[in-house]
Amino acid sequence: QVQLVESGGGLVQAGGSLRLSCAASGRSFSSNTMGWFRQAPGEERQSVATISARSDHQYYTDSVKGRFTISRDNAKNTMYLQMNGLKPEDTTVYYCGAVHNATQPMALLTPFEYDYWGQGTHVTVSS
């Protein structure tokens, strides 16, 4: 089992930045593909970014390319999402997820391919 806890969400003005963190525990963190997702009320959960276990493969949805950066520090059992140039349309709940199998991602993975989830952290971008 893997337990995931997100943090770092909050209120920021358009054009500002936030850094989300996802702390993992309970199993081998370094062998898991992980990702960030967002889900608005009444909508499907959507993939934002995917990162491989060794950080050598990273994938992003088109709407965040050039603005968001996914990273991980396996020594600290923590994954991050640096969000710059935030827009009002980025407002929603952000979740982190982990894949059970130690496989190398070849593209941005869908939420259906993930096995473990955090509880989410809310991001609100004003104006």
Side-chain angles (χ1 to χ4, degrees), residues 96-108:
C96 66
V99 177
H100 176 78
N101 294 328
T103 57
Q104 195 81 336
M106 301 299 293
L108 183 71

Side-chain angles (χ1 to χ4, degrees), residues 51-59 104-105:
I51 187 168
S52 63
R54 296 180 295 174
S55 300
D56 52 347
H57 292 87
Q58 301 168 31
Y59 307 96
Q104 195 81 336

Side-chain angles (χ1 to χ4, degrees), residues 16-20 67-68 81-86 94 123:
S17 299
L18 283 174
R19 188 195 194 196
L20 305 184
R67 299 189 298 122
F68 292 8
L81 184 68
Q82 179 66 46
M83 303 185 293
N84 299 326
L86 284 163
Y94 285 73
V123 171

Side-chain angles (χ1 to χ4, degrees), residues 45-109:
R45 186 167 298 187
Q46 300 184 34
S47 296
V48 174
T50 298
I51 187 168
S52 63
R54 296 180 295 174
S55 300
D56 52 347
H57 292 87
Q58 301 168 31
Y59 307 96
Y60 300 90
T61 189
D62 287 343
S63 63
V64 308
K65 288 180 179 178
R67 299 189 298 122
F68 292 8
T69 302
I70 188 171
S71 63
R72 64 193 294 169
D73 187 338
N74 290 347
K76 296 181 179 179
N77 291 337
T78 304
M79 179 179 65
Y80 306 95
L81 184 68
Q82 179 66 46
M83 303 185 293
N84 299 326
L86 284 163
K87 304 175 181 179
E89 50 262 46
D90 296 319
T91 295
T92 190
V93 180
Y94 285 73
Y95 300 86
C96 66
V99 177
H100 176 78
N101 294 328
T103 57
Q104 195 81 336
M106 301 299 293
L108 183 71
L109 300 182

Side-chain angles (χ1 to χ4, degrees), residues 107-120:
L108 183 71
L109 300 182
T110 71
F112 302 103
E113 299 176 84
Y114 285 76
D115 303 289
Y116 308 104
W117 298 96
Q119 295 300 304

